[in-house]
Amino acid sequence: FDRIKRYRWYIGADGLYATGNIKGHNARRRTLNSDLTDIIVEIRGGYTLRDKTARRHIYTPFVGYGYFHETNDFHSPSPIPYTFTDTFDYLVCGFLSGFNFTPLLSMGLNFKMKFMHDGKSKISDDPAYDDVTLTMNNELQLRLDIPVTYCFCRFQSSLTPFYEYRHFGGREGFPFNYIDTKFRLIGARLDLAYRF
C-alpha cells in the first residue's frame, strides 16, 4: 500500500513473502544448497514533493519501521543439514522518485537503507548439537528498485528490476560465533496495482 499525493503526507506499508532455492560456497569452498524463505513487514511515513509541470516529477523521502524473518534451510550437498532462522527489527529511511515520460508511462528510482536492531539467529536441526540462538552484529542493508510503470484506467502494471544487499554481521558468542554473512540479491518483480 502506498498513498502518494502531491504536497501531502505519504503513508506506505508492505507485507512481503518470498521463497526459493539458493546455491553458494562456504569459506572452505564447499558447496552450499538451501531453501530460503523471507517474511518482511514494513510501515513508512514521509512527505511527497511533486512539480506542476506536465511531466510531473515526484520525490518522496520517508522513514519507517520493519520486521524481518528469514529461514535458511540447508540440505544436500551442504556439509551440515541445519536450519538458520534469522530475525530482527529495523529502522528504514530512503526515498521514492518518479518521472512521467507520458501520461501513461513512467519510470522511477527507489532507494532504502535498513538499520538492523537486535539481530538473532536460531540454529536448529543440527545432528550434533541442541538448538541454539546466536546474536549477530547489526549492519546496514541496502535496496535499489527501478520501476517502469504503465497506467491504464485506474490500474497500473510495473516491471521493477531490483538489487538488494543484506549484511548480517559476524559476532563472537557462546557456544559458537556467528559467522559474518552477506547476500546480494538481483532480480525483477512484476506488479499489478489498483489506484484509488
Side-chain angles (χ1 to χ4, degrees):
F1 172 82
D2 283 308
R3 178 189 181 269
I4 302 174
K5 292 183 178 281
R6 182 169 61 92
Y7 297 116
R8 296 286 189 270
W9 291 106
Y10 161 74
I11 299 170
D14 289 329
L16 304 170
Y17 174 88
T19 190
N21 183 262
I22 62 171
K23 295 178 177 20
H25 296 90
N26 64 12
R28 296 183 180 132
R29 305 303 299 161
R30 298 204 45 198
T31 300
L32 299 175
N33 190 6
S34 72
D35 293 322
L36 188 72
T37 301
D38 287 345
I39 299 170
I40 302 171
V41 178
E42 183 178 291
I43 56 173
R44 298 175 301 278
Y47 195 78
T48 298
L49 305 170
R50 188 174 202 169
D51 68 23
K52 295 181 180 180
T53 65
R55 296 288 187 192
R56 294 178 16 171
H57 313 298
I58 67 161
Y59 177 72
T60 306
F62 62 79
V63 295
Y65 170 82
Y67 175 75
F68 177 89
H69 183 281
E70 179 178 82
T71 303
N72 197 356
D73 184 14
F74 287 89
H75 47 80
S76 180
S78 302
I80 300 174
Y82 43 55
T83 301
F84 285 104
T85 303
D86 300 328
T87 58
F88 57 85
D89 299 318
Y90 63 89
L91 298 176
V92 63
C93 68
F95 64 85
L96 307 174
S97 67
F99 177 82
N100 288 351
F101 296 107
T102 72
L104 301 178
L105 183 65
S106 64
M107 182 175 179
L109 180 68
N110 303 334
F111 180 72
K112 287 182 185 179
M113 293 187 299
K114 297 178 181 180
F115 301 91
M116 293 174 58
H117 174 70
D118 196 29
K120 303 286 185 196
S121 182
K122 180 181 177 184
I123 302 170
S124 56
D125 302 326
D126 189 323
Y129 298 96
D130 292 335
D131 294 355
V132 64
T133 299
L134 304 177
T135 301
M136 61 178 89
N137 269 341
N138 299 323
E139 298 286 348
L140 178 66
Q141 301 186 13
L142 307 171
R143 183 174 175 103
L144 178 69
D145 293 329
I146 305 173
V148 177
T149 303
Y150 180 76
C151 298
F152 48 98
C153 298
R154 298 192 71 78
F155 292 93
Q156 68 182 34
S157 177
S158 298
L159 178 63
T160 307
F162 66 84
Y163 169 78
E164 185 167 351
Y165 174 73
R166 295 181 184 167
H167 186 186
F168 307 148
R171 187 164 180 174
E172 293 182 5
F174 178 83
F176 305 105
N177 297 333
Y178 182 80
I179 305 300
D180 191 64
T181 304
K182 297 176 184 176
F183 291 97
R184 290 176 179 85
L185 300 115
I186 299 171
R189 186 179 75 244
L190 182 62
D191 297 321
L192 181 62
Y194 178 73
R195 297 182 303 164
F196 57 93

